Amino acid sequence: MFRKRFVQCLGILTPAILLAGTTPALAGGKKCTPRNDGDRTEKVRQAIHGGRAKNVILFLGDGMGDSEITIARNYHVGAAGRLTMDSLPLTGAYTTYAVQEGNPDLPEYVTDSAASGTGWATGYKTSNGRISSVAGSTGVAPYTTILELAQAAGYKTGNVSTAELTDATPAVLASHINARGCQGPTNMSSCAVYKKLNGGPGSIAEQLVDHKVDVLLGGGKGRFDQIIDGGPYAGKSVVDSAIAQGYTVVTDASALATVKPGQRVLGLFNSGNMSLEWTGELAQPFPGSGPQTCVEDQRPANEPSLADMTSKALELLDRKGKSAKGFFLQVEGASIDKQDHASNPCGQIGENIAFDKAIAVGLAYAKKNPDTLVIVTADHAHTSQIIDPVPSNQTDHPGAFSVLITADGAEMTVNYGTEPPGSSQSHTGSQLRIAAQGPQAANVVGVTDQTELFHTMARALGLE
Ligand SMILES: [Zn+2]
């Protein structure tokens, strides 16, 4: 019944345990005991570098809390295995709360991606739903972003996501608006003062293009096909305004592959969010769904993977030569969050593994270019939890759940319980992992707040 990937625990015995003479107990659990790497003091010391980075790559797993990472690890490489994202040498935790729109002096303990993104992109807390704009403000009230600072200082810039490019995480880097829903020129009912017709900077799609970000890759073509209502490109679509401003626009993986360095590129690979990598049964109320293994490789070939988009972005942004200015690149694994909302464990895990593969591309680049600060983190915690097996008589078990057969060949029960089954599940308020390598990476160690990430990246690029 088990598939070929069934490996059981991959851990091995440590000499310390052998020496301790505990051999009679080894038969039970020895395969599941991870390798002990010994004294890591010198390795950690060697990983600490101050000073400047040439490049910054920020990998942002949307909704990728500790439970989501653990679920993906258990399923894909087994409990004693390690993901690529687990390999970064310096790790800390960071807090993510937002502030209240009606009283910005009070915290909002559960953040969304807009307020969270504003925190790490600008260094300031805002309220849920706001895109790099001031909580409680009624006019156009922007906070300057790390991408804008980097661009002004001569760095190249890139913004990559598996969501619509106008979704909150990519939006916070190069647009400012009071409501995250104002994604295209005809989605502006909550954002009147920002409308181009009213002399504002326009929707998120318009602002991303008008900012002339060098590399924009993701979904959301439907937003960019909308017609602009004011300013120099009134009557044109956002795509046409992009072409008029020097962008090469591509809409499938093969066209993306042909883009050459030196071209500003807008890649729109789906009318909405990009397609999922994996599918499977949704979590269900008692008796739950599964036991199941996920159906992998479901993304249509005309849509590039997140790893492919990352690789292309790096090729386009890379500048050779020690004295050349580098780049700032953000890469978002967006649908970890979206499939957590949907109580879809296989969808969620597939997106988390796709994100991990994109991180591997970034780390390979950093290996050749060690003056690159690489950060891997998330924006808010989420619903899914690994729970004890649900007994067959527990018909009143709360929430929805699914049993997955992991790479260990064991059953893992994943629960979705922040909302009633069938409803969109909710974000949660826990602190998150932040891991890094390269110049300034030591600043993620300990417990920080996500607004400090802005300063870490700004310092690395010599922007503050
Ligand atoms: Zn969400």
Side-chain angles (χ1 to χ4, degrees):
M1 203 48 206
F2 293 131
R3 299 171 353 178
K4 226 175 168 193
R5 66 186 180 83
F6 168 62
V7 291
Q8 291 192 323
C9 285
L10 293 167
I12 57 160
L13 292 177
T14 70
I17 289 171
L18 289 171
L19 284 172
T22 53
T23 34
L26 289 178
K30 69 174 183 179
K31 279 186 169 172
C32 284
T33 304
R35 177 199 307 276
N36 182 304
D37 287 339
D39 183 359
R40 297 173 58 245
T41 306
E42 197 48 41
K43 259 191 165 172
V44 171
R45 195 175 276 133
Q46 285 171 6
I48 296 173
H49 306 284
R52 292 271 294 272
K54 180 177 174 184
N55 314 301
V56 170
I57 310 174
L58 172 62
F59 287 99
L60 199 294
D62 201 309
M64 192 184 72
D66 285 344
S67 59
E68 284 71 26
I69 295 172
T70 312
I71 288 166
R73 183 195 300 120
N74 287 350
Y75 183 81
H76 197 60
V77 294
R82 290 293 177 264
L83 299 169
T84 298
M85 69 176 75
D86 297 327
S87 70
L88 277 82
L90 299 169
T91 297
Y94 77 5
T95 52
T96 66
Y97 59 91
V99 297
Q100 298 183 13
E101 173 73 5
N103 183 358
D105 292 335
L106 282 179
E108 187 80 57
Y109 292 113
V110 179
T111 188
D112 76 340
S113 299
S116 168
T118 301
W120 58 253
T122 75
Y124 291 101
K125 296 283 183 188
T126 194
S127 57
N128 284 340
R130 282 190 176 270
I131 301 291
S132 297
S133 67
V134 179
S137 61
T138 52
V140 174
Y143 284 128
T144 304
T145 76
I146 183 71
L147 183 146
E148 291 169 326
L149 288 172
Q151 190 176 43
Y155 290 93
K156 286 200 167 202
T157 55
N159 205 0
V160 174
S161 177
T162 51
E164 297 185 81
L165 271 171
T166 50
D167 202 7
T169 299
V172 295
L173 284 164
S175 67
H176 309 271
I177 207 155
N178 55 293
R180 59 182 289 174
C182 299
Q183 297 185 48
T186 62
N187 308 132
M188 296 292 282
S189 56
S190 307
C191 305
V193 300
Y194 284 83
K195 273 171 79 77
K196 281 201 167 160
L197 186 64
N198 298 333
S203 65
I204 293 167
E206 294 161 84
Q207 292 189 49
L208 290 176
V209 165
D210 293 346
H211 263 87
K212 301 186 169 62
V213 179
D214 296 295
V215 176
L216 288 168
L217 304 176
K221 184 168 183 293
R223 313 287 184 176
F224 291 82
D225 285 337
Q226 295 177 15
I227 304 300
I228 297 170
D229 63 9
Y233 303 106
K236 287 187 179 233
S237 71
V238 186
V239 165
D240 286 338
S241 81
I243 293 167
Q245 295 185 73
Y247 274 95
T248 298
V249 178
V250 293
T251 57
D252 61 37
S254 52
L256 177 65
T258 66
V259 178
K260 294 275 177 289
Q263 293 173 269
R264 192 177 293 150
V265 62
L266 171 62
L268 297 166
F269 307 108
N270 194 305
S271 62
N273 297 315
M274 291 180 69
S275 299
L276 298 181
E277 295 283 344
W278 297 5
T279 61
E281 296 172 59
L282 299 182
Q284 299 290 345
F286 186 89
S289 64
Q292 62 170 325
T293 51
C294 301
V295 185
E296 301 183 18
D297 302 324
Q298 296 300 295
R299 173 178 41 79
N302 63 329
E303 294 184 38
S305 68
L306 188 58
D308 289 343
M309 292 196 288
T310 303
S311 175
K312 192 55 161 185
L314 290 169
E315 178 196 331
L316 297 176
L317 295 171
D318 178 61
R319 278 175 172 151
K320 301 287 177 221
K322 254 219 150 7
S323 58
K325 270 273 162 77
F327 61 81
F328 170 82
L329 171 64
Q330 187 277 138
V331 177
E332 182 197 23
S335 290
I336 305 165
D337 165 80
K338 295 182 193 309
Q339 297 313 305
D340 218 328
H341 282 298
S343 311
N344 180 359
C346 286
Q348 172 190 320
I349 295 167
E351 295 308 297
N352 213 327
I353 297 307
F355 182 58
D356 203 51
K357 290 179 177 169
I359 293 166
V361 171
L363 293 182
Y365 179 87
K367 194 166 189 185
K368 287 193 205 132
N369 300 272
D371 48 359
T372 302
L373 170 62
V374 180
I375 299 146
V376 177
T377 190
D379 56 354
H380 53 74
H382 219 308
T383 302
S384 59
Q385 289 290 339
I386 304 164
I387 61 167
D388 280 333
V390 177
S392 59
N393 63 352
Q394 203 179 336
T395 57
D396 62 347
H397 187 274
F401 63 95
S402 185
V403 176
L404 293 132
I405 301 166
T406 70
D408 296 312
E411 293 189 351
M412 170 174 69
T413 305
V414 178
N415 187 63
Y416 294 83
T418 51
E419 299 290 340
S423 306
S424 178
Q425 299 294 313
S426 299
H427 303 168
T428 54
S430 298
Q431 65 187 32
L432 301 168
R433 177 198 290 194
I434 177 168
Q437 70 171 47
Q440 297 293 328
N443 290 290
V444 308
V445 172
V447 178
T448 58
D449 181 78
Q450 64 181 170
T451 51
E452 293 175 57
L453 173 54
F454 165 82
H455 298 286
T456 298
M457 296 189 292
R459 213 162 35 242
L461 293 177
L463 303 172
E464 70 171 24

